[in-house]
Amino acid sequence: MSDARYPFTAVVGMADLRLGLLLNAVSPAVGGVLVRGEKGTAKSTMVRALAGLLPSIGTVADCRFACDPAAPDPQCPDGAHGGAGSLERPAHLVELPVGVSEDRIVGSLDLEQALAEGVKAYEPGLLARAHRGVLYIDEVNLLQDHLVDLLLDAAAMGRSYVEREGVSVRHAARFLLVGTMNPEEGELRPQLLDRFGLTVEIAATRDPQERAEVVRRRLAYDADPAGFAARFAEDERALAMRITAARELLPKVELTDTALRQITAVCAAFEVDGLRADIVMARTAVALAAWAGRTEVLEEDVRKAAQLALPHRRRRNPFDAPGLDEEQLDRTLEEHAGAEEDGPDDTEPDTDPDGGGPQDEGPDGGPDGPGGGPQDEGPDGGPDGSAASDPAPDPAGAPEQAPPPPRPAPGAGREAAPVAGADPYRTRLFKVPGTGRGARGRRSAAETDGGHTVRARRPQGRLARLHLTATLQAAAPHQAARGRSGRALVLAKDDLREQVRRGRESNLVLFVVDASGSMAARQRMGAVKGAVMSLLMDAYQRRDKIGMITFRGTGAELALPPTSSVEVGAARLEQLPTGGRTPLAAGLLRAHEVLRVERMRDPDRRPLLVVVTDGRATGGRDALAQAERAAGLLAGQGVASVVLDCESGHVRLGLARTLAARLGGPAVTLDELRAEGVAALVRDHRSVSTQRKAA
């Protein structure tokens, strides 16, 4: 069967994604593109197809770092390449798997050569292979944060720095960076979002005719890949020639003072942090002009550059979807479209002809001027915030839309309408006691692939991270007995030692929220939702998975299965209705079942149970006893728990604290949840841990 790729020009629709990829092909300095969208929308297909459109590259023969024969890298680890031959090959498409290690990305010491020949040798990683090609990260939001940081640093600097295990190497690493993600599976941190040059929101078309054409083309490709590719071969050649022509035109494009003034005014009006957005917008506008075959940047280029470069940089709350206020953008562009000979200080049409700098007149396009700031207007450009000029319907924000509210629990009875939560705040840090082995995060102590090395040990299973110094120390006393001669080291399997690194892990934070009538007072439920929202934000920042169980009436419901998408959890919480009885035991038993299933799916991810209740239990004379037995079941499984005590009023029964004692964890009131007084909470955790060990 042919290995012909699906043609780039055969993809139906996706105008913004197509443009974002092509602009980066024209000018990799734009900084890459992040593609956000629901599953099954041809994200990966388009990225893989793009590599076939890039011009072939000339490389120095036998150079592992793809040096250009016309201008070889003077710091290339393979040498100066004096008199070396050259060859021409297609640009590489390097795909980064989700489970990739740091060693595989940046390269590492060639241990086989080091131990056998006694010399230091560097084995290149994927960054070296991607140089002058495409680096594609599928599901970038599932990649560990420190690896994303490393990749984005290399993409920004155009060079990879390796300082590890006695190896010090620097090599060129300039590539077209493309990341794809499904927001339903979790978000990237805002700091990482900002490092991507452009972002594009996509969703499957809702037009039946377009969907039919997508299916028709895919079936034709599956039946005859080579024949299908041949149908679009002429279009592919034309597009590849246009990319080459735009690259050649790029250095000749002029960024006028007027266009630059519009770019900086737009970034100031939308209150983006730092100056990276201004630089990216400028590079994108220049690339747009070159793509259009022009040598001057126009206002339409600035507008489109803003639609691609700003939506993901305007986020101020982790639960807000990216977006751009199109009306505000139009106003700001119009206000700063004056003639460029007026000078950068003359931003108003009636400026004093004798001058007067910005301190005299004051800019009018900033967040407090007529252009308005994002907090004055609010994003009304739709969840995708882009492609206003695209006539095709674009429901690109579908993954970010709030999900439907949970179905009422059986027997819920009369329920109160959902109430808005109070403003979130910084909470105390809740940790799982002990040391885990879960995925890297920012919550509980764990042995991780990153972090700092704390000791060495004999390998437990397959050797993952060699501790070179400890291995040499273990082998050194036996060299004479093993008949060592020359520089080669004689090793035995028992000499090998691996690193033990200490860092932090992410956890599964499972919320069990009381939505019964006893919690239904509007002022009280608003405070409770604000507290849970604050804990959700904390889970987002610490890279946790979250789940949510609600109980009321006669049963409990899994309102949100464990997921990395904290945004969905926030939406479910906002829509949470209240009313009915308080089946506390049902909520705890449902939590036990959910944690049992998750333990089988991901045994290394430790759970933290957060029970939000006033401790009341109704539904029969033994309802409270049933709840205590359910709590004992969870405690017997070693589940770390915290009870958020929501009881209020002058007379308090202390039921939530009794429940916390049964669960083996602390009880924290709403007032005590705030970040002040962390030391007291740590003492509570230590006390509980000591009591468990004594028992």
Side-chain angles (χ1 to χ4, degrees):
M1 185 176 178
S2 173
D3 60 351
R5 287 176 177 165
Y6 195 93
F8 188 87
T9 53
V11 177
V12 178
M14 306 297 175
D16 276 353
L17 174 55
R18 186 190 308 271
L19 181 60
L21 292 173
L22 291 173
L23 291 178
N24 275 273
V26 171
S27 176
V30 166
V33 58
L34 175 65
V35 187
R36 296 162 49 91
E38 59 194 26
K39 52 187 176 293
T41 48
K43 300 188 296 291
S44 301
T45 298
M46 290 195 73
V47 175
R48 295 186 178 109
L50 177 68
L53 297 175
L54 299 180
S56 298
I57 62 172
T59 65
V60 175
D62 300 326
C63 176
R64 298 173 297 168
F65 301 88
C67 279
D68 186 348
D73 181 9
Q75 293 182 313
C76 179
D78 279 358
H81 304 307
S86 63
L87 56 88
E88 188 168 314
R89 63 165 176 81
H92 283 157
L93 169 67
V94 177
E95 298 191 38
L96 206 69
V98 172
V100 70
S101 66
E102 185 175 345
D103 290 349
R104 188 71 185 96
I105 293 175
V106 300
S108 61
L109 179 68
D110 188 333
L111 294 176
E112 182 177 351
Q113 190 172 356
L115 296 177
E117 302 176 18
V119 297
K120 289 194 297 184
Y122 173 66
E123 183 178 1
L126 294 177
L127 289 181
R129 179 172 172 77
H131 178 47
R132 304 174 68 197
V134 180
L135 181 64
Y136 172 44
I137 314 171
D138 194 14
E139 306 292 355
V140 63
N141 52 325
L142 303 183
L143 201 64
Q144 296 181 16
D145 283 353
H146 75 291
L147 298 182
V148 179
D149 278 324
L150 187 154
L151 291 166
L152 295 177
D153 283 342
M157 295 185 294
R159 185 163 292 275
S160 175
Y161 296 85
V162 185
E163 299 284 351
R164 55 188 302 146
E165 298 164 344
V167 175
S168 179
V169 174
R170 290 163 174 76
H171 65 82
R174 292 183 296 275
F175 45 80
L176 194 167
L177 177 65
V178 183
T180 60
M181 60 175 284
N182 181 356
E184 291 180 339
E185 297 172 348
E187 272 288 0
L188 279 173
R189 290 186 288 123
Q191 297 93 323
L192 299 180
L193 280 173
D194 182 58
R195 300 298 295 275
F196 278 96
L198 310 179
T199 187
V200 177
E201 296 275 347
I202 63 172
T205 176
R206 302 301 187 251
D207 184 341
Q209 292 184 351
E210 286 192 8
R211 295 174 76 96
E213 183 61 21
V214 171
V215 174
R216 188 178 296 115
R217 292 188 181 188
R218 185 69 211 191
L219 293 177
Y221 171 78
D222 291 340
D224 182 10
F228 183 83
R231 286 171 47 191
F232 292 88
E234 187 60 35
D235 293 337
E236 294 284 291
R237 281 193 293 270
L239 189 58
M241 292 176 60
R242 187 177 175 186
I243 292 174
T244 302
R247 282 186 171 187
E248 294 174 354
L249 184 61
L250 189 70
K252 305 174 185 177
V253 176
E254 178 187 3
L255 180 64
T256 64
D257 289 342
T258 298
L260 181 57
R261 185 165 59 247
Q262 287 180 316
I263 289 170
T264 55
V266 167
C267 291
F270 283 102
E271 297 184 328
V272 297
D273 295 330
L275 293 173
R276 183 177 286 118
D278 305 62
I279 297 171
V280 170
M281 271 191 66
R283 290 172 174 169
T284 304
V286 170
L288 280 162
W291 180 247
R294 288 185 269 100
T295 57
E296 182 177 331
V297 173
L298 303 181
E299 181 176 313
E300 62 192 72
D301 301 321
V302 176
R303 182 191 310 278
K304 193 62 185 178
Q307 292 170 344
L308 293 172
L310 293 188
H312 60 301
R313 293 185 166 89
R314 288 198 59 241
R315 299 183 58 173
R316 290 296 180 265
N317 188 301
F319 307 135
D320 291 340
L324 203 65
D325 186 337
E326 296 288 346
E327 293 184 2
Q328 182 182 356
L329 175 60
D330 291 340
R331 286 196 305 269
T332 306
L333 290 174
E334 183 178 352
E335 290 167 4
H336 294 81
E340 63 181 282
E341 60 264 25
D342 291 340
D345 292 335
D346 301 323
T347 58
E348 294 199 3
D350 58 346
T351 300
D352 184 350
D354 292 332
Q359 293 182 358
D360 298 322
E361 295 294 331
D364 64 353
D368 297 327
Q375 294 182 1
D376 298 324
E377 296 293 333
D380 61 2
D384 59 346
S386 61
S389 60
D390 188 359
D394 183 18
E400 295 291 336
Q401 293 174 358
R407 293 171 298 175
R414 188 172 64 182
E415 61 183 40
V419 299
D423 292 336
Y425 46 84
R426 190 165 66 92
T427 68
R428 291 176 168 182
L429 172 59
F430 298 91
K431 299 180 183 179
V432 178
T435 303
R437 293 175 174 268
R440 280 187 57 134
R442 296 184 169 189
R443 185 172 296 277
S444 305
E447 293 181 5
T448 62
D449 292 335
H452 59 282
T453 302
V454 293
R455 60 187 177 90
R457 68 183 177 195
R458 284 188 168 87
Q460 299 180 349
R462 182 177 179 274
L463 177 63
R465 301 176 300 274
L466 179 72
H467 196 299
L468 185 58
T469 304
T471 298
L472 296 178
Q473 289 176 342
H478 308 290
Q479 295 307 295
R482 293 172 183 173
R484 176 188 175 186
S485 61
R487 300 179 64 183
L489 192 69
V490 182
L491 288 179
K493 184 177 181 180
D494 195 52
D495 297 331
L496 297 177
R497 299 291 184 272
E498 68 177 2
Q499 300 175 22
V500 178
R501 296 181 181 178
R502 183 64 56 84
R504 293 192 179 277
E505 67 177 359
S506 63
N507 299 108
L508 167 59
V509 182
L510 182 61
F511 293 90
V512 180
V513 182
D514 185 349
S516 65
S518 65
M519 301 280 287
R522 297 185 67 87
Q523 183 176 1
R524 183 181 180 192
M525 197 60 194
V528 170
K529 284 189 175 183
V532 178
M533 189 71 76
S534 302
L535 291 169
L536 282 171
M537 186 176 294
D538 181 70
Y540 169 84
Q541 294 168 344
R542 301 188 187 281
R543 313 305 294 160
D544 294 315
K545 290 181 69 174
I546 61 132
M548 186 179 299
I549 294 170
T550 63
F551 60 93
R552 63 190 182 96
T554 60
E557 179 184 10
L558 181 59
L560 180 68
T563 176
S564 297
S565 181
V566 180
E567 292 84 353
V568 178
R572 291 281 167 89
L573 180 67
E574 286 291 343
Q575 298 164 354
L576 180 65
T578 56
R581 294 181 177 179
T582 312
L584 177 57
L588 297 176
L589 290 174
R590 189 64 185 272
H592 178 269
E593 178 62 20
V594 169
L595 294 179
R596 183 186 67 82
V597 173
E598 287 301 309
R599 194 177 296 114
M600 292 188 292
R601 290 177 177 172
D602 189 356
D604 289 334
R605 188 181 293 272
R606 297 187 296 163
L608 175 64
L609 183 68
V610 180
V611 184
V612 184
T613 182
D614 57 9
R616 297 175 184 271
T618 59
R621 288 183 298 177
D622 60 344
L624 191 57
Q626 291 177 359
E628 291 180 353
R629 287 195 293 270
L633 185 62
L634 287 163
Q637 295 292 324
V639 177
S641 304
V642 174
V643 175
L644 187 57
D645 184 359
C646 302
E647 190 174 19
S648 61
H650 297 291
V651 179
R652 302 195 181 193
L653 303 178
L655 297 176
R657 294 193 175 275
T658 301
L659 176 65
R662 190 64 174 163
L663 285 167
V668 181
T669 66
L670 295 178
D671 293 335
E672 295 169 342
L673 181 63
R674 296 180 182 270
E676 295 82 5
V678 175
L681 183 62
V682 172
R683 286 195 296 271
D684 288 344
H685 273 294
R686 289 178 176 173
S687 176
V688 169
S689 180
T690 302
Q691 293 173 7
R692 283 184 175 178
K693 291 179 180 179

